[in-house]
Amino acid sequence: MIHFFDPSNPKMASKIPDIATKVDVLLGNLEDAVPTDRKAQAREGLIDIVSTHDLGATQLWTRVNSLDSPWFLDDITRLVGEVGNRLDVIMIPKVEGPWDIHFVDQLLAQLEARAGLERPILVHAILETALGVANVEEIVMASPRMQGLSLGPADLAASRRMKTTRVGGGHPGYLVRSDPDPAEPDAQRPTSQQDLWHYTLARMVDACAASGARPYYGPFGAIDDPIACEDQFRNAFLLGCVGAWSLHPSQIEIAKRVFSPEPDEVAWAKRVVESMPDGSGTAMIDGKMQDDATFKQCQVMLETARQIAARDPEYAALYAL
Ligand code: GLV
Ligand code: MG
C-alpha cells in the first residue's frame, strides 16, 4: 500500500515513524487535499520529515502539484535538490500524454545531475483525465523512469463528466437488470451492480504489463465503508494491480490483506509448480488440467507470495516460504 500523509499537518507528521513500520510506501502529499495556503508549509514539512527520520526499508514517495500549477517547479526543485537521495518515486498527477512524462524526465535529469545524485528517481503517473486514459499506453512507455500508474477515480470522474460524486467504488444506479418473467410480469426483477472502473483499470493493467510498470488502484474515499473498500481493492488485485492507496490508517490493514494472496492459493500454486518441474507438458491435479500456461499463472502467485514473505515474517509463516 501507498500510505498518504499531509506533511503540513504537524500532528500527522509526528505519527510518521510509527506508520513507517506498517506500510510499504509512505507518500508525502503536496497536491489535492492540501489547502492552497498550506502548499509551502507542506513542502517544507516534507523536507524536514525526510531529513530528520530514518524510514528504514519503507520507500518514500511524494505527490507533487500538477505540472500546470504555480507550485510544481518549487516542489520538484526543492525536493530533488535537498532530499533527492532519499526520494524513491515522484507521483505526477493529472498526466495527459507522453509529453508530460518527457518534460518531467528531462527536468529530473537536470536536477539529479546538479544535486550529484547517483540513483535515478522514478516516476509514477496518476491516470485521472480523459486524455490521459486515451494516451495511457504512450504515457507508460514514455520513459524508463516509469515505475507505475494509479487510477485517480475522483479527478477522472470529473474530467469525463461522470455523474458520481464518490471517490472510487461502485454506484447503486450502475446496474443490469434481468428480463421480466413472462409468467409473473410484475414480479421484482433481480439486478446486479456493475463496476464503474472496470474498463479503465483493465486498460491500465494491460498498459503496465506491456511495459513493465506497475498498476495500482488509487484512493477509496468512503473511509466509513471498509467492506466496499475491500471489494474495490480485491477487484483490482484479481485484475492484476499490485496495490492501492491508503488514505486513513484503517485502510492499511485492508490493503495488506487484500493484496497478499490467500495462503491456500499459494499452497496450490506451489503444488502445481512442484508437479511440473520444467514447466512443460500436462498434469492432472485434483481433476484440474495443468499445462505450461497454468504453470506460469502459478508462478505469478508464488512470486508475489515470495516478495511479501521476504518482507513479512508473519506472511512467510502463513505461506510456509
Ligand atoms: C486521486 O487523485 C483522484 O483524483 O481520485
Ligand atoms: Mg486526483
Side-chain angles (χ1 to χ4, degrees):
M1 78 296 294
I2 305 167
H3 186 71
F4 271 55
F5 72 97
D6 174 357
S8 77
N9 178 339
K11 199 168 138 227
M12 227 182 242
S14 69
K15 296 186 181 145
I16 291 307
D18 177 48
I19 290 189
T21 62
K22 301 187 171 77
V23 301
D24 302 306
V25 173
L26 257 180
L27 180 143
N29 176 36
L30 306 183
E31 200 225 8
D32 292 357
V34 175
T36 50
D37 61 358
R38 294 221 310 261
K39 291 289 188 191
Q41 202 176 321
R43 189 189 301 132
E44 300 312 316
L46 183 58
I47 293 171
D48 187 51
I49 291 166
V50 178
S51 325
T52 52
H53 292 92
D54 178 8
L55 303 176
T58 304
Q59 287 211 352
L60 181 82
W61 297 15
T62 183
R63 177 171 78 167
V64 292
N65 287 287
S66 62
L67 304 181
D68 58 357
S69 75
W71 305 288
F72 167 77
L73 197 56
D74 284 339
D75 289 347
I76 196 157
T77 308
R78 297 279 317 279
L79 286 166
V80 177
E82 292 175 47
V83 291
N85 56 351
R86 305 280 305 277
L87 264 185
D88 295 292
V89 175
I90 296 187
M91 186 183 271
I92 308 289
K94 299 174 180 64
V95 170
E96 308 235 77
W99 52 88
D100 287 335
I101 304 299
H102 295 154
F103 168 69
V104 172
D105 178 76
Q106 295 282 9
L107 183 56
L108 274 176
Q110 294 175 21
L111 296 172
E112 286 167 345
R114 197 160 73 177
L117 302 184
E118 287 175 4
R119 182 186 56 130
I121 296 173
L122 302 186
V123 172
H124 182 110
I126 313 181
L127 198 58
E128 55 182 354
T129 68
L131 187 54
V133 176
N135 289 322
V136 62
E137 289 86 9
E138 289 101 295
I139 289 172
V140 87
M141 294 187 196
S143 161
R145 290 184 197 268
M146 283 303 297
Q147 182 275 342
L149 293 178
S150 286
L151 173 73
D155 269 304
L156 185 54
S159 166
R160 281 179 174 158
R161 306 186 64 75
M162 289 167 74
K163 304 303 181 294
T164 171
T165 52
R166 301 171 175 207
V167 179
H171 192 290
Y174 195 71
L175 51 79
V176 289
R177 187 179 302 271
S178 62
D179 285 356
D181 178 351
E184 264 187 279
D186 295 330
Q188 211 178 357
R189 291 155 57 186
T191 60
S192 173
Q193 203 172 308
Q194 306 291 297
D195 184 354
L196 277 172
W197 304 107
H198 176 78
Y199 155 78
T200 317
L201 271 184
R203 277 203 65 184
M204 187 177 84
V205 167
D206 279 345
C208 284
S211 69
R214 308 249 163 150
Y216 296 71
Y217 178 77
F220 188 84
I223 310 296
D224 61 352
D225 194 348
I227 295 179
C229 176
E230 176 165 342
D231 291 339
Q232 180 74 76
F233 283 6
R234 185 166 291 108
N235 286 351
F237 169 70
L238 289 170
L239 212 56
C241 290
V242 300
W245 303 1
S246 49
L247 302 181
H248 185 269
S250 63
Q251 293 182 335
I252 294 173
E253 183 278 327
I254 301 174
K256 179 169 173 168
R257 180 160 39 84
V258 172
F259 285 94
S260 305
E262 294 288 344
D264 59 348
E265 293 267 18
V266 177
W268 169 262
K270 215 190 298 178
R271 229 178 117 195
V272 172
V273 167
E274 279 165 8
S275 72
M276 303 173 67
D278 73 353
S280 74
T282 60
M284 189 66 84
I285 305 181
D286 296 350
K288 311 247 181 322
M289 188 281 300
Q290 309 300 326
D291 68 0
D292 311 46
T294 64
F295 179 88
K296 290 177 197 156
Q297 288 174 276
C298 290
Q299 278 187 319
V300 169
M301 194 72 76
L302 261 184
E303 181 49 31
T304 307
R306 282 202 185 102
Q307 286 182 15
I308 293 167
R311 284 178 55 91
D312 189 322
E314 231 171 85
Y315 271 96
L318 275 176
Y319 294 153
L321 286 172

